[in-house]
Amino acid sequence: MARYAVGDIQGCFDPLRRLLDRVGFDPATDQLWSVGDLVNRGPQSLECLRFFRDLGTSARVVLGNHDLHLLAVAAGIRKLKRSDTLQPILDAYDAAELLGWVAQQPLFYREADYVLVHAGVPPQWTIDQTERLAAEVAAVLASSQRETYLRGMYGDEPVIWSDALQGPKRWRVITNYLTRMRFCAADGTLDLTH
């Protein structure tokens, strides 16, 4: 079995299909791991979601910031940005099913010696701790607190992890590390301005 990991597909379904054809991807024997951001920017976000959903156990998906943004837009918490290409998903006959599927995807996946996240893991967290904290956010996304989470998800503060954090601030910093981190200091302080 081959495992292929691809990140930031962002609605570029035709190039993804060409890439998978080139490597001979076979969903009957192989796995396709998505490192988040299945949607937005490209013209075929709807096709990307349907493709990964339909792969079933042949796919492993973690959420990226654009996937979370889709959930916030669908919930009416955020408005579409001019550059967003999410409207076809929102208008699709199977939108509710697709959005439910997205909301069930984790922010962290672990298999044997491999871990999968969209952005990064702060140096202070162990892999076990990262898995627990990502599961905490995933549980909130799958619960009646989803709207509270999505409303509190946007923002750059706090910039560093503390075990004392609670509620939306806690969920936001976990989300920012796993889905938005590009740089962080040795002490785990996030730099989200670059």
Side-chain angles (χ1 to χ4, degrees):
M1 172 177 68
R3 291 185 186 100
Y4 299 98
V6 181
D8 294 85
I9 298 164
Q10 294 187 320
C12 296
F13 184 64
D14 287 341
L16 173 66
R17 289 298 310 164
R18 287 193 300 273
L19 176 66
L20 294 177
D21 288 345
R22 185 166 186 160
V23 299
F25 174 72
D26 180 356
T29 57
D30 301 330
Q31 285 185 340
L32 181 57
W33 291 17
S34 169
V35 188
D37 283 358
L38 289 175
V39 301
N40 218 359
R41 295 196 176 150
Q44 296 172 299
S45 294
L46 176 61
E47 291 83 353
C48 285
L49 285 186
R50 287 178 176 156
F51 175 74
F52 274 89
R53 178 205 55 198
D54 293 347
L55 282 175
T57 59
S58 296
R60 300 292 183 266
V61 174
V62 295
L63 296 176
N65 52 304
H66 286 274
D67 308 312
L68 292 168
H69 177 65
L70 167 63
L71 294 175
V73 168
I77 291 166
R78 295 294 271 214
K79 293 191 182 299
L80 284 172
K81 299 176 191 172
R82 179 178 291 170
S83 60
D84 287 340
T85 60
L86 302 172
Q87 194 64 53
I89 298 169
L90 302 173
D91 294 340
Y93 69 88
D94 55 348
E97 179 186 340
L98 289 168
L99 293 166
W101 179 83
V102 170
Q104 293 174 14
Q105 302 311 304
L107 276 73
F108 173 94
Y109 177 73
R110 179 184 200 175
E111 187 173 310
D113 292 334
Y114 299 100
V115 298
L116 192 66
V117 298
H118 179 63
V121 174
Q124 288 68 30
W125 291 358
T126 66
I127 296 301
D128 288 339
Q129 181 182 15
T130 305
E131 188 169 32
R132 283 192 309 274
L133 294 171
E136 179 182 326
V137 171
V140 171
L141 258 177
S143 76
S144 61
Q145 292 183 295
R146 179 187 305 172
E147 188 172 319
T148 301
Y149 165 77
L150 292 171
R151 285 190 189 286
M153 174 179 72
Y154 293 91
D156 296 344
E157 298 285 334
V159 295
I160 193 165
W161 173 253
S162 167
D163 289 331
L165 291 169
Q166 296 180 356
K169 287 184 180 180
R170 177 182 177 92
W171 305 329
R172 183 185 314 126
V173 76
I174 294 168
T175 301
N176 282 345
Y177 280 124
L178 298 177
T179 70
R180 293 184 60 218
M181 181 168 71
R182 302 298 179 261
F183 302 100
C184 80
D187 68 356
T189 301
L190 283 164
D191 178 357
L192 297 170
T193 61
H194 289 90

